[in-house]
Amino acid sequence: MNITPENRKWLDDLNLDHPLVIAGPCSAETEEQVLKIAHELKNTDVSIFRAGIWKPRTRPGGFEGVGAIGLNWLQKAKAETGLMMAIEVANATHVKLALEHDIDVLWIGARTTVNPFAVQEIADALAGTDKIVLVKNPVNPDLALWIGGVERLYNAGIKKLGVIHRGFSTYEKTSYRNIPEWQLPIELQSRFPELVLICDPSHITGRRDMIQEVSQQALDLNYDGLIIETHTDPDNAWSDAAQQVTPMVLKRIFEALKVKKVTVEEDDYNTEMIKLRANIDVADSKLLEILGNRMKVAEQIGALKKAKNVAVLQNKRWNEILGKMILEGEDKGLSEEFILRIFKAIHQESIAHQQKIINS
């Protein structure tokens, strides 16, 4: 896949002096609701109006969208406000109806991205289209699957591409609805720097009070834009009420956000940045050396356990380590969530090294 500036030309052509903003309700509920929100978002930083027409639900029985009738409401909203329109599509039928109603932007949702057959069906239905197509990350943190979705669209001749980072599901209880796992979109951005990268703070947080914070994090990481769920009466929304904000709150978020420069040309900045990045490189090398030494000790522990026929997993010891590291991490300004993620990964790697010794 050869993502070039041509693939992000659709964004450049908007000639924005601020990050791209896609906003609108989680679900289109009524024609009146769609038009009211669209008109309140007109003449703001919002360029694209989003609304869910078909809503894939985890379990049956919930509100699954108004269906095709909502496309007529979006056509009317587009005619009255001039905003571009965006919807989620999950199969070829959705694509056909979206194209018939001249929807400008189509996105593939997280539940669909996990299914290569479904993505290929959508790619085939979109083959050669000049519409903008965005791919949300899969539910689980699988970068290859995310890239594969983009590749299927690219191979179908779709030139106007982008991705949406909406966070990843986890069994762990965290402050997020879907944990960001920032390293995955950063890796995607590193591999394909010309691919438009959009953050979905609504689905990452699941809470309207955290949207500004996560939006700022995304802009600090040089994301191209944001997609934020917006409703005139969010508390009574038919779906995902807790993560939607009013148009007025959305405007205040825009005003508070600070867009960082990608780079500057000043010599003193570049000199200092080179020094700081060199320090980061040294610290990273030391981290790897320390981790390597830790695993050697884990292997020695594994050999001792093997000799004495002792089980690999020692829960009491593990809980003691975790509690101690959380406290020490707090003293060093590291969050409990970060410490848990890091040391769970280290623990799993240690167990793998011990099991290799025991099974050898």
Side-chain angles (χ1 to χ4, degrees), residues 129-147:
T129 183
D130 64 349
K131 299 296 184 182
I132 299 163
V133 185
L134 309 174
V135 183
K136 282 198 172 186
N137 63 255
V139 174
N140 296 318
D142 189 333
L143 183 57
L145 200 56
W146 196 3
I147 293 173

Side-chain angles (χ1 to χ4, degrees), residues 74-128:
L74 295 185
Q75 278 187 306
K76 190 170 182 180
K78 181 178 180 178
E80 291 185 7
T81 66
L83 291 170
M84 299 168 70
M85 296 289 132
I87 65 166
E88 177 178 346
V89 293
N91 56 46
T93 300
H94 293 171
V95 171
K96 179 176 181 293
L97 289 168
L99 296 180
E100 287 175 355
H101 288 80
D102 197 28
I103 298 299
D104 304 283
V105 181
L106 295 82
W107 80 80
I108 298 175
R111 291 179 176 88
T112 306
T113 306
V114 300
N115 185 345
F117 293 112
V119 176
Q120 189 61 57
E121 177 185 328
I122 293 169
D124 292 340
L126 283 167

Side-chain angles (χ1 to χ4, degrees), residues 171-200:
Y171 287 114
E172 297 176 20
K173 185 177 180 181
T174 74
S175 57
Y176 300 102
R177 178 180 177 183
N178 296 291
I179 55 175
E181 297 284 9
W182 294 106
Q183 70 274 15
L184 266 76
I186 289 171
E187 173 64 20
L188 181 64
Q189 188 181 51
S190 176
R191 293 195 203 180
F192 305 102
E194 299 297 342
L195 191 61
V196 173
L197 178 58
I198 298 165
C199 182
D200 180 351

Side-chain angles (χ1 to χ4, degrees), residues 86-337:
I87 65 166
E88 177 178 346
V89 293
N91 56 46
T93 300
H94 293 171
V95 171
K96 179 176 181 293
L97 289 168
L99 296 180
E100 287 175 355
H101 288 80
D102 197 28
I103 298 299
D104 304 283
V105 181
L106 295 82
W107 80 80
I108 298 175
R111 291 179 176 88
T112 306
T113 306
V114 300
N115 185 345
F117 293 112
V119 176
Q120 189 61 57
E121 177 185 328
I122 293 169
D124 292 340
L126 283 167
T129 183
D130 64 349
K131 299 296 184 182
I132 299 163
V133 185
L134 309 174
V135 183
K136 282 198 172 186
N137 63 255
V139 174
N140 296 318
D142 189 333
L143 183 57
L145 200 56
W146 196 3
I147 293 173
V150 178
E151 286 176 328
R152 290 177 187 278
L153 295 165
Y154 181 86
N155 292 340
I158 297 163
K159 302 300 183 185
K160 299 177 180 179
L161 289 168
V163 292
I164 299 174
H165 170 216
R166 50 80 77 189
F168 303 89
S169 296
T170 176
Y171 287 114
E172 297 176 20
K173 185 177 180 181
T174 74
S175 57
Y176 300 102
R177 178 180 177 183
N178 296 291
I179 55 175
E181 297 284 9
W182 294 106
Q183 70 274 15
L184 266 76
I186 289 171
E187 173 64 20
L188 181 64
Q189 188 181 51
S190 176
R191 293 195 203 180
F192 305 102
E194 299 297 342
L195 191 61
V196 173
L197 178 58
I198 298 165
C199 182
D200 180 351
S202 302
H203 280 90
I204 288 176
T205 64
R207 295 167 43 184
R208 62 178 67 103
D209 63 313
M210 291 178 66
I211 287 175
Q212 180 177 322
E213 174 190 342
V214 171
S215 296
Q216 186 63 64
Q217 285 180 282
L219 296 184
D220 290 347
L221 291 170
N222 200 30
Y223 279 54
D224 295 294
L226 305 165
I227 177 168
I228 300 176
E229 292 188 348
T230 311
H231 196 294
T232 49
D233 186 14
D235 288 333
N236 293 304
W238 293 5
S239 58
D240 286 348
Q243 66 190 42
Q244 301 191 64
V245 298
T246 65
M248 183 60 67
V249 170
L250 186 67
K251 291 176 186 176
R252 289 204 292 267
I253 290 173
F254 294 159
E255 292 168 358
L257 291 174
K258 296 178 175 61
V259 181
K260 304 293 194 297
K261 298 177 182 179
V262 176
T263 186
V264 291
E265 297 301 323
E266 289 91 336
D267 288 341
D268 58 343
Y269 166 85
N270 290 323
T271 300
E272 186 63 20
M273 184 58 72
I274 289 170
K275 287 166 55 180
L276 292 172
R277 284 175 173 165
N279 290 338
I280 287 286
D281 291 343
V282 170
D284 287 344
S285 294
K286 288 181 179 177
L287 279 173
L288 290 177
E289 183 178 355
I290 291 168
L291 288 172
N293 289 336
R294 192 189 193 282
M295 295 310 152
K296 289 177 183 177
V297 175
E299 289 170 1
Q300 293 171 359
I301 292 173
L304 182 58
K305 287 177 178 176
K306 181 179 181 179
K308 299 299 181 181
N309 196 30
V310 175
V312 170
L313 184 59
Q314 301 289 319
N315 280 321
K316 183 180 178 182
R317 165 66 176 164
W318 163 234
N319 289 329
E320 288 173 354
I321 291 173
L322 204 54
K324 180 183 177 184
M325 291 302 100
I326 288 171
L327 291 174
E328 290 189 15
E330 287 178 354
D331 290 340
K332 294 175 173 59
L334 303 174
S335 70
E336 179 177 337
E337 183 180 347

Side-chain angles (χ1 to χ4, degrees), residues 11-80:
L11 178 57
D12 297 335
D13 286 346
L14 294 177
N15 293 316
L16 302 176
D17 59 1
H18 54 77
L20 173 70
V21 181
I22 304 171
C26 173
S27 300
E29 299 167 358
T30 65
E31 179 177 344
E32 179 184 11
Q33 173 241 20
V34 167
L35 293 175
K36 180 176 176 59
I37 298 171
H39 276 282
E40 291 200 23
L41 294 177
K42 181 183 177 182
N43 299 324
T44 69
D45 284 352
V46 175
S47 299
I48 302 172
F49 181 86
R50 58 139 295 151
I53 302 299
W54 300 282
K55 299 297 297 180
R57 312 313 296 175
T58 303
R59 299 178 64 185
F63 174 60
E64 296 186 338
V66 296
I69 190 174
L71 294 168
N72 297 324
W73 308 341
L74 295 185
Q75 278 187 306
K76 190 170 182 180
K78 181 178 180 178
E80 291 185 7

